[in-house]
Amino acid sequence: MNTFGLHTFAIAPVWDLARIEPQMDRLKEYGIGLMEIPLLRPEEIDTKRTRSFANHYRVELVPSLGLPRALDVVERPDEALDFLEPAFRVCNEVGAEALGGVTYGTIGKTTGRAPTQREIDGMCRFLERAAKAAKSRGLKLGIEPCNRYETHLINRGIDAAKIIERIGAPNIFIHLDTYHMHIEEESFASGFEAAAPYLGYVHVSEANRGVPGRGMLNWAACMKAIADIGYQGAITLESMNHVDVDIAGGLAVWRPVAEDPRDVIEVGLPFLREEAKKAGLTLG
């Protein structure tokens, strides 16, 4: 069985328990056992209340982030590491075991060229230090390949695998996202197979970030590829229904992704469970 998760953006633009808690009984009926927290500004998270929430509803928590545009992991790695420290603290305080997302760069920041060797070398040095800092807090660190319009650094599963093999840190894992894979991978099968040895987290997201099943993504191929590699980790729906202004520009999300936002949950979650079931997977 794979834990079935839901990203906060399906409900609210930030981790807002006043908006999330009233929906939890219904989400539990859909099989949700994990909530993803966008750590846009770690200092805003009420960690004590969040941990109580997780215990009460018996859900796992996975915080995620992208680095702010002002940071540069190659030129000024110390600043980026300083930014991650409060994020790691939040992970510990809410009882999370990992931090995922674009932990190696800024969403929406590209050079317009392929990454240089100097950029790759600098990013690897940064991730080695970040992984060491995460390990000191008992945490794992995810790296999420993104499409070419959001980053030029890591675009595919095989790119992320090579970075992890070079660094050699046992607590770094790959965080794949079907939205990005739909753009960058030759097939879901090849993308998941390349990432399989290090795969630790999966976002399932429609090709237009909207309601799963109402876009162009080949869900049968996607779920089969996940099943074929024997992946048993969390599978989390990420839809950009509600997006904080600090990240909306980088994601190029400037219009609603669903005509009726409620459909992301009421239509999308049952659809994903059914597609997973057809492939032999059990969500939740």
Side-chain angles (χ1 to χ4, degrees), residues 20-22 24-25 28 32-33 52-59:
I20 295 168
E21 284 199 272
M24 283 308 299
D25 288 338
K28 293 293 287 185
I32 293 300
S52 295
F53 159 87
N55 291 335
H56 178 74
Y57 290 103
R58 297 183 179 180
V59 292

Side-chain angles (χ1 to χ4, degrees), residues 178-179 182-183 205-210 215-217 219:
T178 60
Y179 167 79
H182 179 71
I183 297 171
S205 187
E206 185 51 270
N208 65 350
R209 293 292 202 188
M216 297 175 66
L217 201 139
W219 287 104

Side-chain angles (χ1 to χ4, degrees), residues 146-267:
C146 288
N147 72 77
R148 69 193 71 181
Y149 308 108
E150 296 183 24
T151 184
H152 63 297
L153 297 174
I154 304 177
N155 297 133
R156 302 171 300 169
I158 194 169
D159 302 328
K162 288 178 179 176
I163 294 295
I164 290 175
E165 287 167 358
R166 170 172 167 174
I167 296 170
N171 64 324
I172 297 186
F173 64 90
I174 298 176
H175 166 177
L176 285 181
D177 183 312
T178 60
Y179 167 79
H180 301 298
M181 296 178 76
H182 179 71
I183 297 171
E184 297 296 340
E185 303 284 359
E186 182 176 312
S187 67
F188 283 116
S190 63
F192 277 111
E193 186 176 346
Y198 312 103
L199 188 61
Y201 195 63
V202 174
H203 275 163
V204 281
S205 187
E206 185 51 270
N208 65 350
R209 293 292 202 188
V211 182
R214 291 184 178 172
M216 297 175 66
L217 201 139
N218 185 339
W219 287 104
C222 172
M223 292 300 183
K224 182 179 185 302
I226 296 173
D228 284 349
I229 63 169
Y231 173 71
Q232 297 181 331
I235 295 177
T236 295
L237 168 58
E238 184 182 55
S239 175
M240 301 301 176
N241 225 358
H242 308 273
V243 183
D244 185 87
V245 294
D246 279 0
I247 196 172
L251 293 168
V253 175
W254 43 70
R255 63 173 181 269
V257 296
E259 185 174 344
D260 185 341
R262 294 172 298 185
D263 287 353
V264 169
I265 291 174
E266 295 175 2
V267 176

